[in-house]
Amino acid sequence: SIAVVAFCIFIASCASVPLGTLLRFSAFDEQDFAEIDPETLSVRIFLQDPAKLSDTPVSLSLLLETAGEPIIGDYEMQPSLTFRDTVSAGIFSPDVQGTMHQFELTADQVTVFRQLQNELSNLEITHMTFTTSFHLDRSISYADQVKVWVFLAMDEKADYITLIEGASLDIEQRYTD
């Protein structure tokens, strides 16, 4: 079991996924999935200054592995809140200034999510992966890297779960004449 804990710490440090998130989702099952309220499901994306999100849609994807074929759900999200914020970059690093963007499922996507929950009510989920897709505004000139945090809330009573903590995105600048 020490090897498993050491492996989890290694994965968490390499992938910018906090160990607490790995542990929280390790026991996630079909009952937990059925209890998600899609009307309160939200994603927060924090971008370090001067980064900004583009106007392209933000999406939340689920990969649910069952005994049969994997099930993929893609859900478009709508912006619900944007505010200036500061996040911790760790014990030995200064806090990071930036903008927090909050997104929620559209009304149509809430219905689609509930349909998936009903379809899966009799299946055993062996593994679940959340993915958030977004694009940076290309009109801004960036440094070589931008730090990003991604948070997920699965109901209005629970705190946000940190999915990605201070990951550095490499920025490739493309110039056209």
Side-chain angles (χ1 to χ4, degrees), residues 17-75:
V17 177
L19 180 58
T21 300
L22 292 175
L23 294 174
R24 185 166 182 178
F25 280 117
S26 68
F28 201 86
D29 62 14
E30 57 276 358
Q31 182 61 37
D32 294 318
F33 180 73
E35 292 174 1
I36 294 173
D37 180 358
E39 289 186 19
T40 60
L41 185 67
S42 67
V43 169
R44 284 187 174 175
I45 301 168
F46 178 86
L47 297 174
Q48 175 186 22
D49 285 339
K52 298 200 183 314
L53 289 176
S54 73
D55 291 334
T56 60
V58 169
S59 65
L60 176 69
S61 298
L62 294 174
L63 169 61
L64 301 166
E65 295 180 24
T66 64
E69 291 289 317
I71 298 166
I72 299 172
D74 289 311
Y75 305 95

Side-chain angles (χ1 to χ4, degrees), residues 144-164:
D144 292 339
Q145 291 186 337
V146 172
K147 288 204 177 271
V148 175
W149 283 254
V150 178
F151 308 92
L152 174 72
M154 293 187 281
D155 68 52
E156 63 188 355
K157 296 175 190 144
D159 290 333
Y160 277 85
I161 302 165
T162 304
L163 297 180
I164 303 293

Side-chain angles (χ1 to χ4, degrees), residues 66-117:
T66 64
E69 291 289 317
I71 298 166
I72 299 172
D74 289 311
Y75 305 95
E76 187 173 321
M77 304 195 85
Q78 62 188 0
S80 61
L81 186 63
T82 300
F83 57 94
R84 299 286 301 152
D85 204 0
T86 302
V87 296
S88 172
I91 297 171
F92 303 109
S93 300
D95 290 349
V96 176
Q97 299 282 323
T99 304
M100 186 75 75
H101 304 271
Q102 182 171 314
F103 297 88
E104 297 171 353
L105 296 176
T106 64
D108 290 342
Q109 296 299 295
V110 166
T111 302
V112 172
F113 193 93
R114 283 199 175 116
Q115 289 171 345
L116 179 62
Q117 286 176 306

Side-chain angles (χ1 to χ4, degrees), residues 1 5 9 60 64 75 80 91 98 104 107 110 118 127 129 132 134 140 142 146 156 166:
S1 81
V5 172
I9 291 170
L60 176 69
L64 301 166
Y75 305 95
S80 61
I91 297 171
E104 297 171 353
V110 166
N118 289 334
H127 182 77
T129 303
T132 303
F134 59 89
I140 296 173
Y142 295 103
V146 172
E156 63 188 355

